[in-house]
Amino acid sequence: MVFIRDGEVAVPGEPLCIQEEFSPGDNTSLDSQGRVIAKVLGIASYDKSTRTVSVKPMKAVQPFKVGGQVIAQVRSIQDKIAVVTILSAGGRALKHPRTAIIIPRKGMKEGMKDVVGVGDLVIAQVATQFMGVIGLSIWRPGLGVVLGVCDKCSSILSKAKMELICLKCGEKHKRKIVPFYGNMERIASMLEVMPG
Ligand SMILES: [Zn+2]
């Protein structure tokens, strides 16, 4: 029984699997219930050939450097923040997508829902990283929504002057978009997706 997946972040004390499944490797130990637990904050790694599980310490793993650019998809929106899944970082698709948070800019008056929408693809910059939680910024010019999705009918939104419009249902949407909004070729290259 595996409790978290390969490549996911484990926090100290978190159970990784039962001993029968994988034996404890680097940065892990056994608890009283026969479970292998993480000893450090890091990335869980299950080695099927040696049947061992280890944790790579977070400090050794720096895929998301502060200042680096990522492409992410918006999953949910709260008042002033949005939860996203990072799909690619530094122009490379991720093997293991990571959860991150778009953090509000200073003195932000509008709600996050007037900036991004659920399902949108955004280009963002890593602003903070603390205890494995990645904070993203989209506030500089050139950062923001590269492809928007209608929250009524899930169609791709079209750019119309200062706003986005759904050609299917007519809904208008407020977003912070990038100058190359909707340029599929550029979006594909950022996601490291080969056309065709
Ligand atoms: Zn629509």
Side-chain angles (χ1 to χ4, degrees), residues 74 77 112-113 115-121 145 149 174-175:
V74 178
I77 297 168
M112 190 60 88
K113 66 172 172 37
V115 179
V116 298
V118 171
D120 288 3
L121 285 182
V145 176
V149 176
K174 273 192 197 158
R175 298 282 204 275

Side-chain angles (χ1 to χ4, degrees), residues 33-112:
Q33 297 167 58
R35 301 179 305 181
V36 182
I37 59 166
K39 270 163 65 178
V40 298
L41 177 75
I43 306 291
S45 172
Y46 298 87
D47 188 331
K48 287 198 175 108
S49 60
T50 59
R51 312 289 319 164
T52 56
V53 59
S54 58
V55 176
K56 288 182 197 142
M58 210 49 140
K59 264 188 275 177
V61 183
Q62 291 183 316
F64 308 108
K65 271 194 310 197
V66 169
Q69 285 197 349
V70 301
I71 303 290
Q73 184 166 39
V74 178
R75 286 215 319 255
S76 66
I77 297 168
Q78 292 166 30
D79 185 25
K80 299 282 183 192
I81 65 159
V83 178
V84 303
T85 302
I86 299 176
L87 304 174
S88 80
R92 296 223 142 187
L94 297 184
K95 213 168 132 199
H96 304 288
R98 281 281 302 273
T99 296
I101 288 165
I102 298 175
I103 49 181
R105 63 178 157 73
K106 260 196 190 135
M108 182 164 145
K109 295 220 166 59
E110 74 273 36
M112 190 60 88

